[in-house]
């Protein structure tokens, strides 16, 4: 059998939306398919929605616009050939603007004649379902409401996505004609006096949709227990809003310039027009998106009025493109946690043994303690990802290894990993920075401070602690190899204890039992480093900040 080329796994996709046409080529090689890595992407600003309106009246898509579309498609066809994308792996999908065009059939026929590519026309119900799958691809797990804002319409549904099992409403998604471009037109046509009736119409429809979607009781109960719904938003209009909120964040500059995984509470989500008078100057806000801000603002106000119990809002990169690709993946790949998949390529021989050592280095959860590490730091997927990444920056000069590790999840080796939350990106960056000693130049210190502020002092100290523990493991086994018989000769245990000074102080007892003679010196260094991280001068915020005393024990 002939060896399969990497390009055999390439999938090319044209997403003909209302606001623009997106071109992409993704590599779905099994090892990294869960991340759906993009090797080429481009966007044409042709608005098929705007092309169908003149002086407020709907008209056919003009031949001038059709020629522009054909020119862009033929250029992409050449690019696909240069990348050696198999012809059967090229797909065009069109959504509402093409579906509702007066001359839709003739338009699609011209495309097929010019390119030999057939246009797949998504039904309204499929558009919402596939968009929701795109959101599912954007996070490790989801429990909440999902909304996808396009140019012509907005889709709404609920979703529970865990370990590759995705549940949505049996009714699919409810669609409304409140897309960003459509809202611009409707607000203009309504005039100021017509805004209030439109707002009431939208609020009523959103409120009714929440009932019509048959939200399961366990999801409603979760919303009650957590003080409101978790809302996941996708689509260009919402992402533009997310970038505006990012620019207004209390952490300035906000350290993670990636919209996917960005989260805000309800209080920060609601619009205050005076605060962003010039949205076009904001990062990643095009002139077209800037022009749509008043329409998106109007929509958000109506949404907040109809669903008052929104607690948190998550922004997603995933849309039609990601939904189609994610839907095509086998269940076992869909079930992978994106953080584990993203770091797996860097794993060395003894990662499974190191996982056990690092897990044992973290004291068990203590229900009566407010000092426990955050669950995000102690989850199996996070510990796996940490040990897999232990040696990724081994070839870097000592001057920059900690800095490169700190930026690895934003602009470094994991910057392009799809599906990571900002919490995971920040925590893993802080852990890996400390794994490499944590020594930074002044140019990186502010970035470190902003990352710590993002997750809070308690999580930052625990990230520092886990980073020191991980660094100790890597120092003992610099080649990433722990010999089989050594697994029983090196034992680590972290437990809670109390140290009596002027008063009882809660502390961590870090115990190492070593029976490997060759690593005695490194074990001593490891104990010393763990003790140092617990000293007050090394706490987050200094002596008056946050930290826990660490004492080390064991056979030396």
């Amino acid at each position: 059998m002939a060896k399969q080329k990497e390009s055999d796994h390439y999938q090319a996709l044209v997403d003909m939306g209302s606001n623009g046409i997106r071109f992409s080529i993704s590599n779905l090689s099994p090892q990294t398919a869960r991340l759906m890595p993009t090797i080429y992407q481009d966007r044409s600003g042709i608005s098929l929605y705007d092309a169908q309106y003149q002086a407020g009246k709907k008209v056919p898509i003009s031949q001038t616009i059709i020629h522009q579309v054909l020119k862009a498609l033929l250029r992409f066809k050449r690019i696909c050939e240069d990348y050696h994308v198999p012809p059967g792996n090229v797909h065009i999908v069109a959504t509402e603007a093409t579906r509702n065009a007066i001359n839709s059939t003739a338009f699609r026929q011209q495309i097929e004649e010019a390119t030999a590519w057939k246009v797949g026309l998504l039904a309204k119900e499929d558009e919402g379902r596939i968009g929701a799958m795109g959101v599912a691809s954007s996070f490790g797990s989801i429990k909440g409401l999902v909304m996808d804002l396009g140019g012509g319409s907005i889709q709404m549904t609920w979703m529970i996505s865990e370990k590759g099992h995705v549940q949505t409403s049996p009714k699919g998604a409810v669609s409304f004609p409140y897309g960003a471009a459509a809202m611009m037109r409707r607000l203009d046509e309504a005039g100021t006096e017509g805004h209030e009736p439109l707002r009431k119409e939208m609020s009523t429809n959103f409120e009714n949709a929440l009932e019509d979607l048959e939200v399961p009781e366990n999801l409603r109960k979760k919303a009650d227990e957590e003080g409101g719904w978790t809302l996941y938003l996708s689509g260009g209009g919402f992402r533009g809003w997310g970038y505006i909120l990012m620019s207004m964040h209390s952490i300035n500059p906000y350290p993670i310039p990636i919209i996917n995984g960005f989260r805000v509470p309800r209080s920060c989500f609601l619009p205050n027009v005076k605060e962003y008078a010039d949205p076009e100057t904001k990062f990643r806000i095009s002139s077209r998106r800037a022009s749509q801000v008043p329409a998106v603002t109007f929509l958000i106000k109506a949404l907040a009025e109809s669903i008052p119990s929104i607690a948190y809002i998550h922004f997603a990169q995933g849309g039609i493109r990601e939904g189609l690709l994610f839907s095509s993946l086998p269940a076992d790949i869909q079930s992978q946690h994106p953080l584990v998949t993203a770091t797996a390529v860097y794993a060395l021989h003894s990662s499974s043994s190191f996982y056990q050592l690092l897990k044992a280095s973290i004291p068990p959860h203590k229900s009566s303690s407010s000092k426990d590490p955050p669950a995000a730091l102690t989850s199996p997927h996070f510990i796996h990802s940490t040990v897999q990444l232990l040696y990724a920056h081994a070839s870097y000069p000592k001057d920059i290894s900690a800095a490169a590790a700190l930026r690895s999840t934003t602009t470094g080796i994991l910057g392009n990993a799809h599906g990571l939350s900002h919490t995971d990106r920040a925590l893993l960056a802080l852990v890996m920075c400390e794994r490499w000693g944590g020594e930074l130049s002044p140019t990186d210190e502010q970035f470190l401070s902003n990352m710590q502020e993002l997750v809070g002092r308690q999580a930052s100290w625990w990230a520092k602690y886990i980073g020191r523990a991980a660094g100790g493991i890597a120092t003992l086994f610099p080649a990433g190899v722990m010999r089989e018989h050594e697994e029983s000769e090196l034992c680590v245990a972290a437990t809670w204890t109390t140290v009596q000074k002027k008063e009882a102080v809660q502390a961590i007892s870090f115990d190492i039992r070593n029976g490997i003679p060759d690593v005695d010196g490194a074990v001593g260094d490891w104990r010393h480093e763990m003790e140092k991280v617990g000293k007050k001068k090394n706490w987050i915020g200094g002596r008056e900040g946050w930290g826990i005393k660490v004492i080390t024990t064991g056979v030396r």
Side-chain angles (χ1 to χ4, degrees):
M1 180 183 289
K3 185 178 180 180
Q4 196 170 28
K5 303 189 298 292
E6 186 172 50
S7 59
D8 291 342
H9 297 289
Y10 291 175
Q11 292 284 339
L13 188 64
V14 181
D15 174 10
M16 295 176 54
S18 298
N19 264 333
I21 303 175
R22 297 165 182 82
F23 306 89
S24 67
I25 301 174
S26 303
N27 183 354
L28 297 189
S29 296
Q31 185 180 17
T32 56
R34 172 60 181 86
L35 307 173
M36 305 178 299
T38 304
I39 59 174
Y40 172 82
Q41 59 183 327
D42 195 13
R43 181 182 183 277
S44 169
I46 300 170
S47 172
L48 294 175
Y49 182 90
D50 290 349
Q52 297 179 58
Y53 288 92
Q54 289 182 4
K57 294 184 178 180
K58 189 164 185 175
V59 297
I61 300 173
S62 70
Q63 201 58 41
T64 299
I65 295 295
I66 292 175
H67 282 153
Q68 291 177 14
V69 172
L70 296 179
K71 186 176 180 180
L73 288 170
L74 289 171
R75 167 169 165 72
F76 184 58
K77 186 168 187 177
R78 174 190 172 119
I79 292 169
C80 289
E81 291 169 354
D82 291 344
Y83 273 96
H84 305 291
V85 179
N89 290 5
V90 183
H91 304 280
I92 304 180
V93 292
T95 54
E96 184 178 30
T98 301
R99 185 173 64 238
N100 294 340
I102 293 172
N103 56 338
S104 175
T105 302
F107 175 41
R108 288 181 281 123
Q109 186 175 348
Q110 286 194 55
I111 291 175
E112 187 171 354
E113 289 172 354
T115 65
W117 292 338
K118 189 174 182 64
V119 179
L121 201 59
L122 290 180
K124 184 191 298 184
E125 302 76 24
D126 290 336
E127 187 175 340
R129 178 183 60 81
I130 292 171
M133 289 297 286
V135 176
S137 79
S138 302
F139 299 91
S141 63
I142 288 177
K143 289 183 180 179
L145 304 179
V146 175
M147 301 188 79
D148 184 4
L149 177 63
S153 61
I154 183 170
Q155 282 79 36
M156 177 179 177
T157 189
W158 58 264
M159 176 179 288
I160 300 173
S161 174
E162 292 183 291
K163 297 181 179 179
H165 182 58
V166 180
Q167 294 176 266
T168 58
S169 171
K171 294 188 175 181
V174 179
S175 181
F176 299 111
Y178 304 143
M183 284 301 300
M184 287 178 67
R185 182 176 61 82
R186 289 195 64 175
L187 288 171
D188 185 58
E189 291 175 353
T192 305
E193 65 281 357
H195 285 191
E196 185 60 19
L198 177 58
R199 183 190 59 75
K200 287 183 178 179
E201 171 200 317
M202 295 171 68
S203 295
T204 300
N205 284 339
F206 287 142
E207 191 173 344
N208 291 339
L210 198 55
E211 296 301 322
D212 295 342
L213 287 169
E214 300 178 3
V215 180
E217 186 57 36
N218 63 333
L219 206 54
R220 290 186 179 276
K221 184 179 179 181
K222 177 178 180 291
D224 291 339
E225 292 173 349
E226 297 180 357
W229 297 97
T230 299
L231 190 59
Y232 296 85
L233 303 181
S234 70
F238 280 142
R239 285 193 292 272
W241 185 260
Y243 281 117
I244 290 175
L245 297 181
M246 197 180 285
S247 72
M248 296 162 51
H249 202 279
S250 58
I251 303 173
N252 187 21
Y254 188 80
I256 304 176
I258 301 167
I259 195 62
N260 193 82
F262 178 55
R263 185 184 89 151
V264 294
R266 175 189 172 89
S267 59
C268 295
F269 179 63
L270 299 180
N272 184 341
V273 179
K274 293 180 181 179
E275 293 188 38
Y276 54 83
D278 190 12
E280 195 174 340
T281 64
K282 307 298 184 186
F283 174 67
R284 297 287 292 150
I285 304 294
S286 66
S287 57
R288 178 169 178 77
R289 288 295 176 210
S291 69
Q292 293 176 346
V293 164
V296 176
T297 300
F298 191 90
L299 185 152
I300 288 172
K301 287 182 175 179
L303 176 63
E305 181 178 293
S306 59
I307 312 176
S309 56
I310 296 173
Y312 286 97
I313 297 89
H314 297 251
F315 291 88
Q317 180 63 45
I320 294 296
R321 181 187 81 90
E322 290 80 7
L324 286 166
L325 294 174
F326 191 63
S327 299
S328 73
L329 299 176
D332 62 322
I333 290 181
Q334 288 185 355
S335 67
Q336 295 172 0
H337 194 284
L339 193 61
V340 176
T341 304
T343 54
V345 67
Y346 302 103
L348 295 187
H349 181 269
S350 298
S351 289
S352 59
S353 299
F354 297 158
Y355 171 87
Q356 297 301 331
L357 282 175
L358 187 58
K359 182 181 178 183
S361 300
I362 306 169
H365 179 80
K366 192 175 181 180
S367 59
S368 61
S369 174
S370 61
K371 293 193 172 185
D372 282 325
L377 274 167
T378 59
S379 66
H381 75 257
F382 190 89
I383 298 176
H384 270 298
S385 301
T386 298
V387 298
Q388 288 181 161
L389 207 60
L390 275 182
Y391 302 90
H393 297 91
S395 64
Y396 286 60
K398 288 184 177 180
D399 318 55
I400 62 169
S401 55
L406 178 64
R407 295 183 183 269
S408 62
T409 62
T410 48
T411 55
I413 56 177
L414 299 183
N416 67 337
H418 177 65
L420 309 188
S421 70
H422 282 204
T423 298
D424 277 346
R425 287 186 188 273
L427 290 175
L428 187 58
L430 293 172
V431 168
M432 297 315 299
C433 176
E434 197 63 32
R435 174 266 180 266
W436 288 102
E439 188 174 358
L440 300 172
S441 70
T443 57
D444 296 300
E445 287 176 352
Q446 184 59 53
F447 183 77
L448 172 69
S449 176
N450 288 359
M451 285 291 236
Q452 290 175 338
E453 188 177 353
L454 178 59
V455 299
R457 286 186 172 186
Q458 182 167 347
S460 294
W461 185 87
W462 276 110
K464 195 171 185 177
Y465 172 91
I466 293 171
R468 289 281 176 99
I473 294 169
T475 300
L476 263 62
F477 307 101
V481 177
M482 186 180 193
R483 297 169 189 178
E484 189 172 338
H485 68 278
E486 294 174 342
E487 293 181 6
S488 60
E489 295 177 2
L490 179 67
C491 298
V492 175
T495 56
W496 291 103
T497 188
T498 301
V499 177
Q500 195 70 41
K501 290 190 173 181
K502 293 180 180 179
E503 56 184 21
V505 176
Q506 194 172 36
I508 297 169
S509 174
F510 188 83
D511 182 79
I512 307 176
R513 305 278 168 165
N514 176 43
I516 310 172
D518 296 345
V519 300
D520 272 346
V523 168
D525 292 340
W526 190 10
R527 286 193 181 95
H528 180 61
E529 288 299 317
M530 298 308 296
E531 288 175 350
K532 281 170 60 178
V533 79
K535 293 187 179 299
K536 286 189 175 183
K537 65 179 182 180
N538 294 319
W539 287 8
I540 305 301
R543 294 181 178 276
E544 302 303 318
W546 203 99
I548 304 173
K549 183 176 179 61
V550 179
I551 57 175
T552 61
T553 60
V555 178
R556 297 178 183 266

